[in-house]
């Protein structure tokens, strides 16, 4: 869309939804640029003026935000890992002679993979490959330094050479890899085109708490029970930080090895690395708390539709359904006079469906819309109509991601 403004986007949307009618709009799915939020505000005002309805707001795409949060965490320190990963790939891209030199001196035919900056978390294989070939890269750089090979007159080589001279580069890469691997399963689970919104906030809450536990005292993390607890947590409060940040198994192992001790890295540099690692985690967690759907009441209330929650915490599910119904009434999608019937049918459904069916629901293998419709649509029609609308809400742009 180039430099399209919110007005430009709104004009195109208006053209596309003429036959759909604005009264049927329940959500505007989007990623997080300011222009999209301005579009949401303008479209919301338009919908409310013309129909009296208000679209649900569950935040921007939860998948985009994970990528962006990780990128912001890495960018918060001066390691310049992004430049190294990009340069390592471009140093040998489309250069047969240089690739031959590398293979000759290292006896390796394994080369760095392409790095994609806007998909940081999906660069796990890229980081793993760089770690694998790092000894070969260092050997290649050494041969160039010894004038056994022609020196590449490129910025990419200078960046790679500087990284190879960093005694902490391997530890930094392993630390970043350990964080990326914690985020990767979440993205893999949610990169699907089926209703996932009811599972999103609880999974985000666990993800954030797991990352906080790497630099925040365990007792403090355990005290963060609700979403509001997490949203109100200040990641910069040093009194709640652990004495030492958790770097990950491989990074810790390297720093305890004899080969690393021989590098004689100064205490000051080691301390600086640990401080930087904490900064990465702080910036990452702060962005996740501020930008993901975890802070939006409607998104939080949808956890009531998780069959596992229905059997584990039925009363909590009823409370969450009440909150969602409040949003539905406010948006004029549901009549207030129908709410008692809807709540009664929802409660009856929870207590009537076999507990084993609810417990055995699989997020990975089952579809929530199919599961609920087959058990709810006929016997609990009013409750199903609300659930059906809730399941329309998108957890993110999975097909794009």
């Amino acid at each position: 869309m180039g430099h399209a403004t919110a007005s430009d986007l709104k004009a195109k949307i208006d053209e596309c939804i003429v036959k759909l009618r604005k009264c049927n709009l329940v959500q505007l799915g989007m990623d997080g640029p300011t222009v999209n939020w301005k579009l949401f505000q303008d479209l919301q005002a338009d919908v409310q003026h013309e129909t009296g309805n208000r679209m649900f707001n569950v935040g921007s795409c939860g998948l985009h935000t994970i990528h962006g949060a990780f990128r912001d965490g890495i960018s918060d320190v001066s390691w310049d890992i992004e430049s190294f990963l990009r340069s390592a790939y471009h140093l040998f891209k489309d250069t047969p002679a240089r690739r031959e030199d590398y293979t000759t001196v290292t006896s390796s035919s394994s080369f760095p993979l392409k790095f994609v900056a806007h998909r940081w978390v999906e660069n796990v294989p890229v980081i793993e490959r760089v770690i694998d070939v790092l000894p070969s890269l260092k050997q290649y750089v050494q041969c160039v330094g010894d004038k056994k090979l022609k020196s590449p007159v490129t910025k990419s080589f200078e960046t790679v050479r500087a990284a190879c001279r960093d005694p902490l580069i391997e530890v930094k890469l392993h630390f970043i890899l350990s964080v990326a691997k914690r985020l990767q399963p979440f993205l893999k689970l949610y990169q699907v085109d089926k209703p996932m919104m009811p599972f999103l906030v609880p999974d985000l809450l666990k993800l954030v708490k797991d990352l906080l536990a790497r630099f925040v005292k365990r007792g403090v993390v355990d005290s963060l029970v609700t979403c509001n607890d997490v949203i109100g947590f200040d990641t910069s409060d040093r009194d709640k930080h652990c004495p030492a940040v958790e770097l990950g198994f491989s990074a810790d192992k390297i720093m305890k090895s004899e080969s690393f001790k021989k590098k004689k890295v100064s205490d000051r540099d080691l301390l600086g690395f640990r401080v930087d690692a904490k900064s990465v985690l702080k910036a990452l967690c702060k962005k996740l708390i501020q930008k993901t759907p975890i802070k939006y009441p409607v998104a939080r209330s949808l956890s009531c539709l998780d069959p596992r929650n229905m059997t584990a915490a039925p009363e909590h599910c009823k409370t969450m359904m009440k909150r969602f119904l409040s949003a539905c009434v406010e948006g004029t999608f549901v009549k207030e006079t129908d709410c008692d019937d809807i709540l009664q049918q929802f409660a009856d459904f929870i207590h009537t469906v076999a507990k084993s069916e609810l417990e055995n629901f699989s997020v990975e293998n089952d579809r929530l819309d199919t599961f609920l419709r087959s058990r709810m649509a006929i016997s609990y029609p009013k409750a199903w109509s609300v659930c059906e609308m809730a399941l329309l809400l998108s957890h993110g742009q999975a097909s794009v991601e």
Side-chain angles (χ1 to χ4, degrees), residues 235-268:
T235 59
S236 300
D237 188 346
R238 294 184 178 181
D239 292 337
K240 296 177 180 177
H241 292 177
C242 297
V245 63
E246 182 183 323
L247 302 174
F249 181 85
S250 295
D252 279 335
K253 183 179 178 181
I254 291 171
M255 294 179 72
K256 293 175 182 177
S257 67
E258 290 299 322
S259 59
F260 183 81
K261 292 177 182 178
K262 290 178 181 178
K263 295 180 181 180
K264 296 182 179 180
V265 182
S266 69
D267 290 342
R268 180 180 179 180

Side-chain angles (χ1 to χ4, degrees), residues 89-221:
Y89 169 74
H90 285 289
L91 179 60
F92 300 104
K93 180 179 180 291
D94 299 330
T95 55
R98 200 175 295 160
R99 292 172 73 92
E100 182 179 338
D101 288 344
Y102 172 88
T103 300
T104 300
V105 299
T106 65
S107 299
S108 171
S109 58
S110 181
F111 291 89
L113 300 176
K114 185 176 182 179
F115 171 81
V116 183
H118 59 282
R119 289 291 180 271
W120 245 108
V121 179
E122 293 181 6
N123 284 299
V124 166
V126 179
I127 302 172
E128 290 176 328
R129 174 63 65 84
V130 163
I131 290 173
D132 288 340
V133 303
L134 189 58
S136 296
L137 287 175
K138 290 181 178 180
Q139 187 178 354
Y140 174 80
V141 169
Q142 182 63 48
C143 287
V144 171
D146 294 340
K147 298 184 178 180
K148 295 179 181 179
L149 297 173
K150 182 179 178 181
S151 178
V153 187
T154 65
K155 184 178 179 181
S156 293
F157 177 72
E158 295 303 322
T159 301
V160 171
R161 177 160 58 183
C164 289
R165 289 174 176 173
D166 181 359
L168 289 165
I169 185 62
E170 189 176 6
V171 182
K172 292 174 181 177
L173 289 169
H174 275 289
F175 166 70
I176 291 172
L177 181 62
S178 73
V179 178
K181 282 188 171 182
R182 178 60 190 88
L183 301 174
Q184 191 181 41
F186 177 91
L187 287 175
K188 184 178 180 180
L189 176 64
Y190 282 89
Q191 284 176 338
V192 291
D193 286 318
K194 63 181 183 179
M196 295 290 286
M197 200 68 205
F199 318 114
L200 183 65
V201 170
D203 285 349
L204 278 171
L205 186 63
K206 185 179 187 310
L207 177 64
V208 172
K209 291 178 67 174
D210 285 349
L211 292 169
L212 286 173
R214 297 186 66 158
F215 69 98
V216 175
K217 296 175 182 176
R218 172 47 66 181
V220 175
V221 175

